[in-house]
């Protein structure tokens, strides 16, 4: 395992240092940052100095809590804590990001970096919990692959009220699992005359016609679907192209195929967490495919689909 500090795409994950006291006290004193955490705001400078001193002296990889400082562009913006069990095979993770730096994916990037270190050190399971009202933290954990493992109702007395806790867990073998695989991309060409296009692709270029529905009685489109007078699939070798007859101005569309509905859902969670413009979330389309639609900056429609779950 590499020594600290470690650089990610935008961050530096490192040990705490004496110079972090002011920034640490500032973001931990923000009532919005402390709202669902176990400390009370504001955090006095003396208390912040004592904590930073403890963090700086701790040894990574020994049982108990170790706090990683998260730095962006030379500024301390948060911290990620890991509590390693005495058996060194289990751990708990927690995280805090300054309010000015929330909503930019920094927490996800920092926690992912720390998880890489934890699992590389031989930990088999990492757990986490959060206040049930803290939906942002719950979504972050889900994006990183944590599974929901429980909901403890009125379990914690915190800041004058009983709160619900959400429990999450992530196993090493789950983290090693392959990410969702996009195994095929089929461009959807929007054409002015389907018959002429089929003559060109099948007659001139030697593509085979896989299927077509040009007769309205054969189309599997719901009332709220775009009115497409005709669609056909043509293919040659390992290439498939969707041809759809549409009049007027239109944008490009691509079909991205993944193996299962669960992986469509995984991509939906991953891309939503990265701020992707999801035009339509996943659902089973009238023609039987489980599909979501994503827009790129040029309004190209990416249709990500799989067979539905059984």
């Amino acid at each position: 395992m590499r020594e600290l500090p470690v650089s990610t795409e935008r961050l530096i994950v490192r040990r705490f240092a004496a110079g972090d006291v002011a920034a640490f006290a500032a973001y931990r004193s923000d009532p919005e940052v402390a709202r669902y955490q176990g400390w009370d705001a504001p955090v006095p400078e003396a208390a912040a100095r004592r904590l930073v001193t403890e963090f700086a002296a701790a040894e990574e990889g020994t049982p108990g809590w170790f706090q990683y400082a998260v730095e962006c562009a030379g500024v301390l913006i948060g911290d990620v804590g890991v509590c390693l069990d005495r058996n060194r095979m289990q751990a708990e993770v927690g995280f805090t990001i300054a309010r000015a730096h929330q909503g930019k994916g920094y927490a996800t990037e920092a926690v992912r970096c720390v998880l890489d270190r934890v699992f590389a050190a031989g930990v088999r399971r990492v757990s986490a919990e959060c206040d049930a009202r803290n939906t942002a933290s719950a979504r972050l954990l889900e994006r990183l692959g944590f599974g929901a493992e429980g909901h403890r109702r009125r379990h914690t007395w915190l800041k004058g009220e009983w709160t619900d806790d959400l429990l999450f867990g992530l196993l090493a073998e789950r983290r090693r699992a392959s990410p969702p695989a996009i195994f095929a991309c089929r461009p959807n060409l929007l054409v002015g005359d389907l018959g002429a296009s089929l003559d060109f692709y099948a007659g001139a270029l030697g593509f085979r016609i896989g299927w077509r529905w040009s007769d309205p009685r054969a189309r599997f489109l719901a009332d709220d679907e775009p009115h497409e007078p005709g669609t056909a699939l043509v293919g040659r070798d390992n290439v498939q192209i969707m041809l759809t007859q549409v009049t007027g101005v239109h944008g490009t569309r691509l079909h991205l195929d993944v193996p299962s509905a669960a992986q469509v859902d995984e991509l939906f969670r991953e891309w939503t967490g990265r701020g992707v413009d999801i035009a339509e979330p996943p659902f089973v389309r009238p023609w039987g495919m489980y599909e979501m639609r994503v827009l790129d900056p040029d309004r190209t429609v990416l249709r990500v689909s799989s067979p539905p779950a059984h």
Side-chain angles (χ1 to χ4, degrees), residues 7-84:
S7 297
T8 67
E9 182 179 356
R10 299 175 294 174
L11 307 173
I12 295 176
V13 176
R14 58 172 175 77
R15 290 180 170 276
F16 269 88
D20 293 326
V21 172
F24 177 78
Y27 69 74
R28 287 217 170 189
S29 293
D30 184 337
E32 288 299 312
V33 172
R35 181 181 180 189
Y36 300 122
Q37 303 280 16
W39 69 83
D40 292 316
V43 175
E45 184 176 340
R49 181 174 292 105
R50 182 171 63 253
L51 285 170
V52 167
T53 300
E54 292 176 3
F55 296 161
E59 288 296 325
E60 183 186 21
T62 60
W65 282 100
F66 183 85
Q67 216 74 13
Y68 298 85
V70 179
E71 178 184 313
C72 180
V75 177
L76 178 72
I77 66 166
D79 54 271
V80 178
V82 170
C83 184
L84 184 65

Side-chain angles (χ1 to χ4, degrees), residues 91-144:
E92 181 180 353
V93 66
F95 45 89
T96 305
I97 295 291
R99 182 162 30 147
H101 299 279
Q102 294 177 4
K104 302 176 181 178
Y106 292 142
T108 301
E109 191 172 326
V111 176
R112 182 182 289 115
C113 173
V114 170
L115 290 174
D116 287 344
R117 296 183 70 78
V118 169
F119 284 116
V123 168
R124 309 302 303 166
R125 169 187 166 82
V126 176
S127 60
E129 64 180 78
C130 67
D131 190 302
R133 298 167 296 179
N134 192 353
T135 55
S137 290
R139 287 197 300 267
L140 183 152
L141 292 167
E142 290 170 350
R143 288 196 298 272
L144 291 172

